[in-house]
Structures are given as C-alpha cells and as structure tokens.
C-alpha cells in the first residue's frame, strides 16, 4: 500500500455538508453531524454518507450539539488512532446526556477504518455507540440505523466493495447535485502490496476497481453539477484495472483519456500511486492530456534499498530514479510530491542519509514526512531494532527542513508566471478568492465572487509561506483546456 499524504496522518477533524439536493427541511427533518479524520477517500465517503442519508430525512449540521445523529468517520493509519476515537466518544457522551435532559435523542455511529479494525470492541468500550460500520458498508446506513432504533447494537464490518460501488453508481444516476468546483471520485479501493508498515490492506481489503461505466456516469453527473476538476481516488489508484463496456480491462491511463472527453470537466488529478504500477500508458497520458494536471504524488518512503526491502516496497532506489526520469521526459513541467517515513525499524544513519540523497536528487515540489509508528497487526510492529524516539525526531526535523527548502524553491519558481487557476471559494478577506494552481498550490487573489467555479488566467505576483498570491490577468474563462504556461522544473 502506498500511503497518501493525508492518509498517513490524522488531519484536523472536519464536518461534511449535505448536498444541496438534500430533502427540503420539514417539521420532521433530522440533522446529521459527520466528523471526518484522515485521507481524501474518507472525505469522499463522508460526503456519500450524507447523500445516502438525505432521502431518509437527514440534513447536515456543523453543530454537534444540534445533531440527531453523529458519525465519526475514522482513520486507522496513525499511532493511537483508536484511543483518539474513544476520547472523542467520551466528549460526545456528555453532549448526548445533555440532550437527553431536554427530551432529545441522539444516535451515534462510528465508521471508517477504526470501525473496521475494532468492530465489537467499540460497542463494548463505548456503550453510547449505536452503529459501527466499516468503510465498505456505509451504503447500508439507513437499514443499520433502523435496526439500531429497535434497541440493537449494530456492527457491520463485512467486506463487500462491489455492493458499495454498485450503490455509488445508483446514487450518481438518481441525483444531479450542485457541487463545489473541485471534487473527489473513488475509482479503486484496497491494496495488495502489503507494505510492512501499513494497516490499510487489513482495513480496506484487497484491490478492487469500479467499472468504467460507473466512473464515467458519476463523472458526467459531477460535470453537469458544476464540477470543473475531479481527483480520482484509490489506495493504490494507478493499479486501477476496471471493466470496460466491451468486457475488456482498462488501466488508469485509458480511463483518464475517456474522462478527458467529458464536456465541462477541465481538470483531472489522481492519488495515490505506487511506483511499481506507473506504466507507460499512464506516463504517456501525462504527455498527451491537457486536462491531466502537471502534478504527481508518487511516494517512495525511503531512499535506502535495505529499508525499501524491509518495507516490502518491491522496488529499488535506482528503479525509482529511472521512473522519475521517464516521467519528467514525458511531462517536463510536472511537480513531484512524495511520502517519507523516518525511523523504520533497523534504519541506520547511512540508511537515513540515502533517503536525504534521494530527496536532493529528485527535487520535490512538495512532500509529506512522518516518524514511523507501530501499527498493531503489521509486520513492522514486531520487527527488532526499533529506532529510539529521539533519533526519529531528529531525523524527521532534518528531512523536513530539506523538503521545506525544496518546496519554497519550487513555489518561488512560479513568481512572475501566468497560469490557469481554478477559483474555488471566498478567501478570508473581503473581495478575495482562493483557487488552485495546476501544481496543486493554493492561490489567493482579489476577484469578484461570481468567478467562483471558473478557471482564470492569473499572474503570480507574490510568494507566501503556504500559498501563492496572484493578480487576475483577464476574465476570460479558459474552457479551451489550455495547458498551463510551461515552467522551469526544479
């Protein structure tokens, strides 16, 4: 399994709004509060939960205390993830007790990867939880909630990804929703790689791909609802092998070519990839498709062949270098992103230096780095020569200083450039909008609110610590899908 940037740490919890097509508020409307931890796929799943619950009379709320149903959509990647869930459930229990005093009921559900891993243990340790549902079963939420209302504690963690995908397809055909300009679309789930540090194969299961028809249908509905940019999601997205209408099997490159034909869908991205599944057709798609953005997240985790072998990554550093050369030959303006784990069991000073050397040679536009943490049930958790915490911390600080330097250099190389920016939402200051560059950098600029959802030519006039600042070049929406102005690759 290749860890995605957001999947490899717990993000700040976020609530998910119901779709604009939710049932109109009536006197018996119930409210659902969904708190999401972890990766983009969890964000996608949380949005689909609100879609599933909307026909049942639920509308989303950002106020936990106002909710009739609270769902924690959990991530199991980081250390002590389960304990953080139990801690949050303790806080929810107090809210539920306060609501009960005024005669208001509250149901509580735990979804996602912690739910998959902990199962019955959650019901045992947290009696306030009514429903425990794994990431492949959330489409059953209405039925599960109905069972729970009868007084049963419901635990549903059986794997049935195909049923989930079929349901997603049905939902896409029923609803045309008004969505944000940028959206996620799951095309593949699960992982067969079994990296020794990763718990995902045990919580998300084996690799399964949605059919081409299902994906195209959902993407067309997204485009019809105002989505301009779609990010294809998968635990191992470039291992995609979906069935086409003629019965043949398509890889990710061919799927991207088909999606690029959808009118109104002007930008395509995908995450997260494994180096071993980066085939020639996918690399050529980066060369050929103007809609495929010049950004690639391709984690390597370590620059040491010895540690890569111990991690069961099944590639060497030299193979990774050759792949990077091939990608950059096809798409010279591409920005590369990566994941790095420091302090994996047995990592020596030389192993760490090999990682630093790899980073210097590749020169990333951005990167995500983490200290190794032992995940119960994974081979890495029982390996000998666990690295002391103080050594891991020192190495992480050194590595992050290097990748921060590279990211600043890459951002600085955008200064003075004119590029297409997808304007997505209002900024913090009056009259300000926030958008996204082709290289996934946030861009802030002064522009009228009616330009939200459009793609505008923007000159980058200032470089901030975490974002770029731009100036509107003109108000002509670049619907011709023009490639961004070529940039010097750092």
């Amino acid at each position: 399994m290749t860890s995605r940037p957001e999947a490899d740490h717990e993000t700040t919890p976020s609530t998910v709004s119901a779709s604009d097509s939710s049932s109109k508020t009536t006197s018996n409307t119930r409210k659902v509060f969904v708190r999401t931890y972890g990766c983009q796929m969890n964000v996608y799943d949380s949005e689909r939960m609100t879609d599933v619950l909307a026909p049942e009379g639920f509308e989303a709320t950002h106020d936990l205390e106002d909710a009739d149903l609270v769902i924690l959509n959990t991530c199991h990647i980081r250390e002590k993830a389960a304990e953080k869930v139990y801690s949050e459930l303790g806080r929810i229990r107090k809210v539920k007790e306060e609501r009960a005093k005024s005669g208001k009921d509250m149901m509580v559900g735990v979804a996602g990867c912690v739910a998959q891993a902990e199962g019955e243990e959650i019901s045992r340790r947290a009696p306030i939880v009514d429903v425990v549902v794994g990431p492949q079963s959330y489409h059953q939420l209405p039925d599960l909630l109905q069972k729970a209302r009868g007084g049963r504690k419901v635990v549903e963690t059986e794997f049935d990804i195909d049923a989930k995908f079929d349901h997603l397809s049905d939902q896409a055909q029923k609803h045309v929703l008004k969505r944000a300009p940028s959206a996620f679309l799951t095309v593949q789930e699960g992982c067969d790689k079994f990296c020794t540090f990763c718990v995902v194969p045990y919580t998300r299961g084996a690799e399964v791909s949605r059919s081409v028809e299902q994906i195209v249908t959902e993407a067309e509905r997204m485009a019809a609802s105002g989505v301009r940019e779609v990010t294809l999601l998968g635990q191992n997205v470039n291992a995609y092998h979906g069935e086409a209408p003629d019965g043949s099997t398509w890889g990710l490159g061919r799927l991207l070519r088909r999606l690029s034909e959808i009118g109104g869908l002007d930008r395509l991205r995908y995450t997260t990839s494994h180096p071993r599944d980066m085939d020639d057709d996918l690399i050529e798609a980066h060369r050929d498709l103007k809609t495929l953005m010049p950004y690639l997240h391709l984690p390597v985790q370590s620059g040491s062949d010895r540690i890569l072998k111990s991690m069961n990554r099944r590639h060497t550093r030299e193979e990774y270098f050759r792949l990077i050369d091939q990608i950059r030959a096809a798409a010279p303006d591409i920005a590369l992103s990566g994941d790095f784990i420091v302090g994996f069991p047995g990592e020596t000073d030389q192993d760490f230096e090999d990682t630093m050397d790899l980073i210097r040679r590749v020169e990333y536009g951005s990167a995500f780095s983490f200290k190794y943490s032992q995940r119960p049930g994974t081979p890495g958790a029982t390996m000998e020569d666990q690295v002391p915490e103080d050594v891991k911390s020192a190495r992480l600080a050194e590595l992050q200083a290097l990748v921060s330097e590279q990211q600043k250099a890459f951002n600085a190389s955008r200064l003075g450039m004119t590029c297409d920016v997808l304007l997505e939402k209002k900024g913090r200051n009056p009259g300000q909008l926030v958008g996204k560059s082709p290289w996934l950098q946030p861009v802030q600029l002064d522009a009228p609110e009616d330009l939200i959802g459009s793609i505008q030519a923007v000159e980058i006039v200032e470089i901030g610590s975490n974002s770029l600042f731009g100036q509107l070049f003109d108000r002509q929406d670049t619907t011709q899908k023009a490639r961004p102005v070529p940039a010097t690759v750092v």
Side-chain angles (χ1 to χ4, degrees):
M1 153 66 186
T2 299
S3 60
R4 288 164 289 152
E6 288 79 6
D8 218 33
H9 70 290
E10 181 183 274
T11 62
T12 302
S14 61
T15 55
V16 176
S17 298
S19 304
D20 290 349
S21 67
S22 298
S23 303
K24 293 182 179 179
T25 302
T26 63
S27 58
N28 62 349
T29 295
R30 293 165 291 179
K31 295 184 178 180
V32 56
F33 175 95
V34 182
R35 175 158 284 168
T36 307
Y37 300 86
C39 65
Q40 298 106 319
M41 192 170 288
N42 268 12
V43 174
Y44 176 87
D45 284 349
S46 290
E47 291 173 348
R48 301 293 77 75
M49 286 184 211
T50 61
D51 288 347
V52 166
L53 292 169
E56 305 300 314
F58 282 97
E59 66 175 17
T61 177
H62 292 284
D63 184 359
L64 185 150
E65 297 182 0
D66 193 38
D68 301 287
L69 170 62
V70 174
I71 299 175
L72 301 183
N73 193 12
T74 61
C75 175
H76 203 268
I77 292 295
R78 299 301 292 149
E79 189 177 11
K80 299 181 181 178
E83 293 306 315
K84 292 177 182 177
V85 172
Y86 291 122
S87 177
E88 180 67 15
L89 288 171
R91 289 189 286 271
I92 293 172
R93 177 180 57 82
K94 295 178 181 179
V95 176
K96 182 173 183 174
E97 290 172 349
E98 286 299 315
R99 281 177 57 91
K101 292 177 182 179
S102 58
K104 298 179 181 178
D105 191 22
M106 174 188 280
M107 298 189 74
V108 179
V110 177
C113 292
V114 172
Q116 186 69 43
E118 297 287 321
E120 298 284 353
E121 180 69 5
I122 293 175
S123 289
R124 186 187 70 80
R125 288 187 56 180
I128 69 160
V129 175
D130 301 287
V131 174
V132 179
V133 56
Q136 314 308 347
S137 306
Y138 68 73
H139 59 286
Q140 301 179 39
L141 263 175
D143 291 339
L144 300 179
L145 291 172
Q146 188 61 39
K147 292 177 182 178
R149 290 189 191 99
R152 294 174 53 186
K153 297 292 183 182
V154 179
V155 177
E156 180 55 71
T157 56
E158 293 297 319
F159 278 110
D160 193 356
I161 300 179
D162 287 335
K164 172 182 172 179
F165 284 167
D166 288 341
H167 182 82
L168 289 178
S169 181
D170 290 342
Q171 287 293 107
Q173 294 181 45
K174 290 177 183 176
H175 302 292
V176 176
L177 312 173
K178 179 61 179 176
R179 296 189 182 276
S182 182
F184 297 128
L185 199 170
T186 292
V187 302
Q188 178 269 345
E189 282 201 40
C191 185
D192 296 341
K193 296 297 186 289
F194 287 92
C195 298
T196 55
F197 55 80
C198 187
V199 73
V200 166
Y202 310 101
T203 58
R204 289 275 182 172
E207 291 175 359
V208 177
S209 298
R210 295 178 73 181
S211 71
V212 172
E213 184 177 7
Q214 287 177 338
I215 295 166
V216 170
T217 296
E218 187 167 351
E220 288 175 339
R221 295 282 171 164
M222 286 180 168
S225 69
V227 173
R228 304 293 299 275
E229 174 183 276
V230 165
T231 299
L232 307 183
L233 298 181
Q235 265 83 33
N236 215 28
V237 70
N238 60 339
Y240 175 80
H241 52 280
E243 182 179 358
D246 63 0
S248 63
T249 299
W250 286 14
L252 186 61
R254 189 167 182 185
L255 176 65
L256 286 164
R257 294 175 194 276
R258 173 64 183 88
L259 294 177
S260 71
E261 299 170 358
I262 297 175
L265 204 56
D266 298 292
R267 289 183 164 198
L268 296 172
R269 302 181 188 272
Y270 61 92
T271 194
T272 285
S273 299
H274 193 290
R276 293 187 68 246
D277 294 313
M278 200 76 198
D279 62 21
D280 290 344
D281 187 52
L282 181 54
I283 294 172
E284 289 166 4
H286 278 278
R287 179 195 65 197
D288 300 336
L289 298 180
K290 295 178 181 179
T291 50
L292 184 54
M293 292 295 96
Y295 173 90
L296 174 62
H297 185 66
L298 191 64
V300 63
Q301 308 298 358
S302 174
S304 162
D305 281 340
R306 196 176 68 85
I307 296 299
L308 287 171
K309 183 176 181 179
S310 185
M311 287 177 166
N312 194 36
R313 294 290 291 173
R314 291 184 282 181
H315 64 79
T316 66
R317 60 185 273 127
E318 288 302 323
E319 288 170 340
Y320 186 79
F321 286 140
R322 287 197 295 272
L323 180 59
I324 296 300
D325 288 343
Q326 188 180 357
I327 293 166
R328 281 183 164 152
D333 61 340
I334 201 163
L336 292 169
S337 173
D339 283 355
F340 297 93
I341 296 174
V342 302
F344 190 77
E347 184 186 69
T348 64
D349 289 342
Q350 183 58 55
D351 293 323
F352 175 67
E353 177 52 37
D354 287 346
T355 298
M356 296 290 282
D357 175 70
L358 181 144
I359 295 171
R360 294 187 193 100
R361 288 176 59 179
V362 172
E363 296 186 325
Y364 291 91
S366 62
F368 303 85
S369 51
F370 317 94
K371 291 188 291 185
Y372 171 73
S373 60
Q374 294 169 278
R375 303 307 305 127
T378 63
T382 58
M383 287 181 178
E384 297 180 355
D385 298 326
Q386 297 288 331
V387 177
E389 195 67 24
D390 60 336
V391 174
K392 287 193 282 188
S393 296
R395 289 175 181 171
L396 181 64
E398 186 178 348
L399 186 148
Q400 288 182 336
L402 175 58
V403 296
S404 177
E405 178 184 318
Q406 290 189 348
Q407 182 171 355
K408 289 177 181 177
F410 181 78
N411 288 344
S413 72
R414 311 297 95 172
L415 186 62
M417 179 183 296
T418 297
C419 63
D420 293 345
V421 174
L422 172 61
L423 300 177
E424 297 183 304
K425 59 185 179 180
K426 292 189 289 186
R428 292 183 178 180
N429 301 323
Q432 186 183 70
L433 299 184
V434 178
K436 191 185 300 172
S437 82
W439 304 279
L440 206 61
Q441 301 143 308
V443 180
Q444 302 181 46
L445 67 152
D446 292 332
E449 190 175 329
D450 65 353
L451 290 185
I452 292 176
S454 69
I455 299 173
Q456 298 292 329
V458 173
E459 181 184 3
I460 305 303
V461 297
E462 185 180 346
I463 307 298
S465 56
N466 297 308
S467 60
L468 310 179
F469 294 87
Q471 179 175 299
L472 198 61
F473 189 72
D474 58 40
R475 286 183 57 124
Q476 180 63 44
D477 189 2
T478 57
T479 53
Q480 72 273 24
K481 302 181 181 179
R483 191 71 168 185
V485 178
T488 302
V489 178
V490 298

